[in-house]
Amino acid sequence: MAPLDQPGVGPHLAPCGPLLLDGRQIPPSPAPELGEHTDEVLADLLSLSPPELASLRGRRRRLTTTLREGTQPPGGLARWGGRKGTFTDDR
């Protein structure tokens, strides 16, 4: 076990890696924050450019705001699944 300062959690003891490198245990490292690698994954797997990622983020913000306000989904979202985050984009 070794001390670890995890953002959002604070300092605590965490297990070290199971392997030894040069006779020493690998110290623990913080887990990624929620969404920390989202842009990298989307860019790599879906071949999205930075402007396309920005467009997706903007559409997500509009959808989230719409859900909070209890209004109809934004234009282009013709079918709404009725549950938070489920929609079909007919564009």
Side-chain angles (χ1 to χ4, degrees):
M1 300 296 275
L4 173 67
D5 189 9
Q6 174 70 43
V9 175
H12 64 283
L13 289 177
C16 294
L19 304 175
L20 298 177
L21 292 178
D22 293 329
R24 294 182 296 183
Q25 285 189 308
I26 301 168
S29 58
E33 292 190 29
L34 183 62
E36 182 177 342
H37 299 107
T38 300
D39 285 354
E40 295 168 40
V41 171
L42 291 175
D44 185 45
L45 294 178
L46 303 177
S47 301
L48 295 176
S49 66
E52 290 169 319
L53 291 170
S55 173
L56 284 175
R57 261 188 247 97
R59 290 174 60 200
R60 180 176 155 253
R61 275 191 212 103
R62 288 192 300 275
L63 179 60
T64 303
T65 300
T66 299
L67 289 172
R68 281 192 201 124
E69 295 171 356
T71 59
Q72 294 297 313
L77 300 178
R79 292 188 302 275
W80 181 248
R83 293 189 317 254
K84 183 176 180 180
T86 60
F87 62 90
T88 302
D89 190 346
D90 286 336
R91 285 188 241 177

